[in-house]
Every structure is written in structure tokens, then in C-alpha cells.
Amino acid sequence: MSYGIPSAEPSAQVPVCPRHPDRPSYVRCQRCGRPACPDCQRAAAVGFQCVDCVNETRRTTPEVRTVYGGAVATGKPMVTFGIIAVCAVLYVLQWLIPNDAVYQSLGFANIYAEPRYGQFEPWRMLTAAFLHSQGFILHIALNMYMLWAFGQALEPLLGRARFLALYLISAIGGSVGYLLLTPLYQPGLPLYGVVGASGAIFGLFGAMLLVQRHRGGDTRQLWVLIAINGVVGFLIPQIAWQAHLGGLITGGLCAAVLAYTPRGRRQGLIQAAGLVAVLVLLAVAVWARVSM
């Protein structure tokens, strides 16, 4: 009597996974009805779908976007939390690294004769927004609280990419406002630097104001908040009200670009061009100031 060796191949009557023909599968896709092995099964509202049907659905389903053109992002405002995390890490480094090295590398000052503070290193206009005063802990605490509060409202409305662009351009606008509205550094005079996210935060104020008006919402509380913070900048010494004003105007311009661009296939392209135009306007203002 001879004994046969079992075949590794399934019989013709046994359903097999189309992507893995050597694997029998008695579970069928709820959409196309084909067998799907465990590696090719994806949980659906009812039963399972095969990986091919899931991929096809993703390709054919239009991406959901906000009214301002950004991709809808569910869950936590990750850009907002990311900015807060960067500011917190740099604040710790400001305490740990001696000789004020972090500020010397990233801070911004209104200069004319000291190129290392901004004239030939324009990125300092942005990096200074991630630093905060070591002698006043409420500086970073209040800024991060405002960022958390307004970021949770604006980031889902605009989309993550647009919110990040708004914040960064507003931060630059705050530094430009400081540059335009304070005397340029002259040899022999004190050199005053500026750090902090306040310019970018005021940019969020301006953006929220524009967005609320565009949506037909009540803006009275925002006007009161802007007025109170604006007055504080004049009453308390060592607060750069110039950066607040620059950020507020810049944030408003960016929000106007995002809010009033007509919806359509080219909405994102037009918005990107508008934000670049705001950056160009800031660059021209800097060039005009330092060329005086």
C-alpha cells in the first residue's frame, strides 16, 4: 500500500485569495465578493473589504476640505502643539546653554551696523519668535496659552498647512513691524533685541477677526481682546508693541488671502500666490528700511 504526499496547493473547489493564490480564504470582500486572506482583509462598517477595494475607494473619493481650502484634519491640532513644543524646548535650552548662546544664535535686533543680528541673517526675524524672555516666565506662559486657545479654533478651519503658513508669516511680520517702527542701531547706542511669539499671536488675533467677519460671527469680544493687549504693550516697559502691530496687520492680510479667495480648483494656487505676495511685501519693507 502506498501513501500519497499531501499537496501544498489548495484544490480547485477551495476559494483562494487573488493576491495570494496559495492561501485558502473563506472570507469574502463585502464590496467585490472576492475571497481575501487575513493579510488582505480590511475592517469595514459591515464585515471586511479587500485591500484592492479599500485603495480604489481612497482614489475615487474626493478629499474633504474646509471652506478655506485646507484638508480637513480630525483630532488634536498637531501644528499648534508642535509650535508649543518647539518653544518649550528652546526655552529650556535658553536656561541650560550658558552665555546666552541661544539668543545670540537665533534672536533678532533692530540693526544697521551689526549684521549678525539681522541685516545679513534675515531668518532671525522668524527664529526670534520661538524664543522668550528668561526673566519673565509669564512671557512664554501667556503666549503659549493664547496659541493653544486660538490654534484650536483656527487650525481646523484653515487646515494644518495654511495655519502653519499664517503663523510663520505673522511671526516674520512682527519682526518687520519692530524693524520699521523703532530706530535703527547706531554705534555707541544700546542694542535692544526682541524675542517672543507675541507678533505671531497678534497675527492669530488679526486672522481670527477676519475669519469671524467672513463667517458672519460676532467680533466684539475679539476687538476688546485686541484693544486690551494693545494697550498693555504701551503701558508695560520692554514690551515691543511694534511687533504686536506688525503681526496683527500681517495676520489680517494672510487671513484675507485665505478667506476671500473664491472656492474652486485653483483656490490653493491663488492662496499660495497671495501668501507669497505678503512675504514679498514684507521683504520690500525690510529692504526700504535698511537702505535708508
Side-chain angles (χ1 to χ4, degrees):
M1 180 181 295
S2 62
Y3 297 92
I5 300 176
S7 172
E9 296 294 330
S11 65
Q13 289 77 26
V14 176
V16 296
C17 175
R19 296 169 61 91
H20 302 94
D22 60 328
R23 301 181 186 179
S25 177
Y26 295 93
V27 176
R28 294 184 178 272
C29 173
Q30 295 294 317
R31 184 178 180 185
C32 68
R34 296 183 302 172
C37 70
D39 288 341
C40 296
Q41 296 171 15
R42 299 294 184 269
V46 178
F48 295 90
Q49 290 187 8
C50 67
V51 65
D52 294 323
C53 287
V54 171
N55 292 336
E56 180 64 22
T57 301
R58 289 174 179 171
R59 286 193 296 268
T60 58
T61 301
E63 186 178 15
V64 181
R65 292 191 170 272
T66 71
V67 67
Y68 301 111
V72 173
T74 58
K76 298 179 180 180
M78 300 308 298
V79 172
T80 299
F81 289 161
I83 296 171
I84 292 174
V86 171
C87 290
V89 169
L90 286 175
Y91 191 67
V92 172
L93 292 178
Q94 285 180 259
W95 284 99
L96 295 180
I97 299 178
N99 301 322
D100 209 13
V102 176
Y103 172 74
Q104 296 293 334
S105 300
L106 303 176
F108 173 73
N110 196 350
I111 56 86
Y112 183 75
E114 287 285 342
R116 67 193 181 97
Y117 279 103
Q119 188 173 359
F120 301 114
E121 297 180 353
W123 59 83
R124 290 176 179 270
M125 292 185 170
L126 176 60
T127 57
F130 294 92
L131 305 181
H132 288 83
S133 172
Q134 295 171 258
F136 188 51
I137 193 169
L138 284 179
H139 187 211
I140 185 171
L142 291 175
N143 279 342
M144 295 303 100
Y145 172 75
M146 288 296 180
L147 172 56
W148 175 78
F150 280 82
Q152 290 190 95
L154 283 172
E155 186 175 334
L157 281 174
L158 303 179
R160 289 172 177 167
R162 286 164 176 77
F163 176 76
L164 179 60
L166 164 69
Y167 186 88
L168 296 180
I169 296 174
S170 297
I172 296 173
S175 295
V176 173
Y178 184 76
L179 176 69
L180 297 179
L181 299 175
T182 56
L184 291 170
Y185 171 78
Q186 297 294 335
L189 297 178
L191 180 65
Y192 296 105
V194 59
V195 293
S198 301
I201 300 301
F202 268 78
L204 299 186
F205 291 169
M208 195 69 201
L209 185 65
L210 262 291
V211 168
Q212 278 288 86
R213 288 184 61 86
H214 180 257
R215 302 174 69 200
D218 187 1
T219 60
R220 288 175 294 181
Q221 292 184 352
L222 279 170
W223 280 115
V224 172
L225 178 65
I226 293 171
I228 292 175
N229 281 274
V231 170
V232 168
F234 288 97
L235 297 180
I236 300 179
Q238 297 183 344
I239 292 183
W241 62 266
Q242 303 90 338
H244 296 175
L245 182 59
L248 181 68
I249 295 173
T250 304
L253 289 175
C254 291
V257 169
L258 298 175
Y260 292 99
T261 299
R263 301 187 69 178
R265 294 176 57 186
R266 298 185 178 180
Q267 182 183 19
L269 182 62
I270 297 173
Q271 288 174 333
L275 294 179
V276 170
V278 174
L279 279 173
V280 171
L281 180 63
L282 295 175
V284 171
V286 171
W287 174 81
R289 177 58 165 155
V290 299
S291 299
M292 293 176 61

